[in-house]
Amino acid sequence: MRMSTKAQYAVRALVSLNLTSDGRPVSIKEISQIEKISLHYLEQLFVKLRRGGIVNSVRGPGGGYVLARSAADISMDQVIETVEEALMPLSCMDADGSCNCEAECTTQSVWHGLGMQIRSFLASVSLEDLTNDGRRQLACRVANI
Amino acid sequence: MRMSTKAQYAVRALVSLNLTSDGRPVSIKEISQIEKISLHYLEQLFVKLRRGGIVNSVRGPGGGYVLARSAADISMDQVIETVEEALMPLSCMDADGSCNCEAECTTQSVWHGLGMQIRSFLASVSLEDLTNDGRRQLACRVANI
DNA sequence: ATTATAATTGACAGATTTAGTCGGGTATGA
DNA sequence: TCATACCCGACTAAATCTGTCAATTATAAT
């Protein structure tokens, strides 16, 4: 059971975007420098995020990305489902992908239940929550050093 | 976010073991045939399960594996943590594994929170619960066909 | 003791995923 | 028109996962 670094990167990038932006577009070059994530890799992530309706792009000089809607309306499950294919895929172990209901279905109820749990938890965390965490942490770091 | 098939296999195998056993040891050969999981792969899983105190092994003819304790006292989080290393590992992206608290910590609270959710959900499901599901399903299948 | 059974161990191969690169585009605003 | 910034697709090296194979060791029944 693990969360892909892709999803972790996407979340970090969005927090960074929200922290940096004051309404103006933020270039992924900036985010790349702040978060120390490869520029090209970020581009790939933001293509998905844009197609998923999480961010909007602004082209041309001074362009970049902006959140497509309020940070409070962006939940983590949306973000993760956008950059990954599925939040909680199950391997049914059949060549054709269908479920043969012999043995594995016995335990599928657990995995489905778990998937629901994960989904609902991630749905309860908004980008705004994380950004506030980030702001608080930033303030602490500044105060300490 | 995905559950490894290793974990899924382990859970299925234990349900199968509990369904088949009437107190006597069950060989993984049997389980392998029932669940159609490679014998040798099962061996690997059961080594971990034995070391983790989930099952006990009985050597020699008529030997096999038995549950180390009551099915009601075996929860899914214990099983999964036994066959995998960690239930919810976080990549801190540092070579030495330490957390440098620059950028990624901003979002770590989410992952930790998620990990707790997953853990507590899996802790609430016992092997006995799943075995009962299995029994019910078996009865239905027999009735239908 | 012999033999059959079963667990133990380690090496290994194939498939899949991941993280990241590269080289070209194309649209936009100053 | 020109620099900026996004867009696209192919490609790869490394890591991880899944599953197999072979050989060995331990146990109990006969």
Side-chain angles (χ1 to χ4, degrees), chain B residues 22 37 124:
Chain B
D22 50 349
I37 303 173
S124 75

Side-chain angles (χ1 to χ4, degrees), chain B residues 99-141:
Chain B
C99 176
N100 67 11
C101 284
E102 291 268 347
E104 58 270 22
C105 278
T106 308
T107 57
Q108 277 201 354
S109 58
V110 212
W111 311 126
H112 280 299
L114 177 60
M116 300 281 278
Q117 285 280 322
I118 293 173
R119 205 174 310 274
S120 76
F121 173 76
L122 289 175
S124 75
V125 180
S126 75
L127 182 57
E128 193 175 41
D129 298 332
L130 291 183
T131 310
N132 288 338
D133 284 356
R135 260 192 272 272
R136 204 171 310 126
Q137 207 167 52
L138 198 65
C140 286
R141 190 153 64 240

